[in-house]
Amino acid sequence: YQYKSNINPLTCIADGEVYSFGSNEYGQLGHETAEDSSFPQKIGFYQKFLLNESGTLQAPRVARIVVGPCHNFALTEDGEIYSWGLGTYGQLGNGKNTLKQYVPMVINDEGTEFNDNGEETSNPTAALFPKEKVRKYLQNIIITPGFDCTFLLVSTTLIEDN
């Protein structure tokens, strides 16, 4: 599959791996560096590794990718939503205003988070889009990234089941 935008093309291959190349001004390639790439390089979804059937660790398998002008999303078969790239206005959905996020991060993780004052906070993205619901209704979720915003269109069934 080939997904293209005017700034950063991504290619998703059949076994759930994602490759990217092009401009990396805001970290939208997900390569952990600020360098542009003139050839496809694998994006590492390293926040969580899985133990496969042969007993070796592997990154989560990507089921869908969504490409924006300067930020991107990946939905995994396990129901995780990853985001990376430009997040100045909170468009990454991680609750932060991040200029450049080079590493894809899970935004619907139910783990404990802390604000700038060290106080424990909840993750509203995880509350709205828990992994089991994302996995179940994967085909009913539409993410549309703009330049400085992101829209999520969700099946009514997903909202009613929360």
Side-chain angles (χ1 to χ4, degrees):
Y1 304 99
Q2 183 83 20
Y3 297 83
K4 293 185 178 182
S5 79
N6 58 355
I7 296 179
N8 65 326
L10 293 175
T11 303
C12 182
I13 63 174
D15 65 0
E17 295 177 337
V18 181
Y19 291 78
S20 63
F21 54 97
S23 171
N24 198 29
E25 183 177 354
Y26 301 105
Q28 65 267 38
L29 295 182
H31 293 168
E32 302 181 42
T33 70
E35 295 179 24
D36 296 341
S37 178
S38 58
F39 61 92
Q41 294 183 45
K42 183 177 176 180
I43 298 175
F45 296 90
Y46 301 119
Q47 194 170 1
K48 177 185 168 194
F49 281 96
L50 305 170
L51 197 59
N52 66 19
E53 296 160 358
S54 64
T56 58
L57 292 176
Q58 70 179 36
R61 292 174 49 89
V62 174
R64 291 182 43 212
I65 57 174
V66 180
V67 179
C70 297
H71 64 291
N72 305 301
F73 296 87
L75 289 83
T76 69
E77 292 176 352
D78 293 329
E80 295 171 319
I81 304 172
Y82 284 82
S83 68
W84 66 97
L86 178 67
T88 309
Y89 300 102
Q91 63 267 45
L92 295 177
N94 60 7
K96 301 175 181 146
N97 297 336
T98 307
L99 178 59
K100 301 175 182 182
Q101 183 171 304
Y102 296 105
V103 179
M105 300 295 289
V106 177
I107 63 171
N108 63 332
D109 195 1
E110 296 168 359
T112 303
E113 296 185 5
F114 297 91
N115 64 19
D116 293 337
N117 298 325
E119 302 164 331
E120 189 173 323
T121 62
S122 63
N123 179 347
T125 305
L128 286 170
F129 304 101
K131 294 175 190 175
E132 63 275 359
K133 302 290 181 170
V134 171
R135 185 173 48 250
K136 183 176 179 181
Y137 299 108
L138 185 63
Q139 300 308 314
N140 297 349
I141 298 172
I142 299 171
I143 301 174
T144 306
F147 183 77
D148 58 2
C149 62
T150 301
F151 294 96
L152 285 119
L153 178 62
V154 184
S155 162
T156 315
T157 308
L158 177 61
I159 294 170
E160 289 175 355
D161 281 354
N162 272 339

